[in-house]
Amino acid sequence: MFSAQIDISPDFGVKVHTSQNRGFTPEEVAKRCADRIMSVSNSAPAPIRDQAFAYKAELEKLLSFYMREAIKSDRTTVLNALNGAGHPELAELIRRL
């Protein structure tokens, strides 16, 4: 018989994020990303905690801006590929999304 012992941190947790009939927005993904990049202790002194929350909010804005830019760039790549493959009508439909 095989047995193994696994030590798991007491801070270990699983988070599940769902959406209904859509994908996640850049803002939703940016918030998840910022949550992984930094955390702010509730026991931190108020001025430090407030500054950290303000920084995290700016980080979320920056991440969502660049995610939207990446989406636009990818869409341009898809449009060019569709046009190049002789599907201009499909490319136009995608452009309107």
Side-chain angles (χ1 to χ4, degrees):
M1 177 189 244
F2 177 78
S3 68
Q5 182 177 351
I6 300 173
D7 292 324
I8 297 177
S9 166
D11 296 330
F12 178 78
V14 175
K15 292 183 181 180
V16 176
H17 300 270
T18 63
S19 65
Q20 187 169 350
N21 299 322
R22 65 176 179 83
F24 292 104
T25 65
E27 291 75 21
E28 291 167 336
V29 176
K31 179 167 182 8
R32 289 173 49 204
C33 183
D35 287 344
R36 291 294 307 260
I37 291 172
M38 69 176 290
S39 62
V40 182
S41 172
N42 288 329
S43 63
I48 293 171
R49 187 178 60 240
D50 294 344
Q51 184 180 20
F53 280 129
Y55 176 78
K56 190 173 181 181
E58 290 301 313
L59 178 62
E60 287 177 28
K61 289 178 194 175
L62 186 66
L63 289 167
S64 64
F65 171 79
Y66 281 103
M67 283 184 209
R68 284 190 302 276
E69 290 296 307
I71 291 166
K72 287 179 195 175
S73 181
D74 184 63
R75 207 164 270 169
T76 299
T77 300
V78 170
L79 293 175
N80 288 334
L82 288 170
N83 278 322
H87 302 287
E89 63 287 337
L90 184 55
E92 179 60 21
L93 289 171
I94 300 246
R95 186 192 66 76
R96 291 182 186 179
L97 288 176

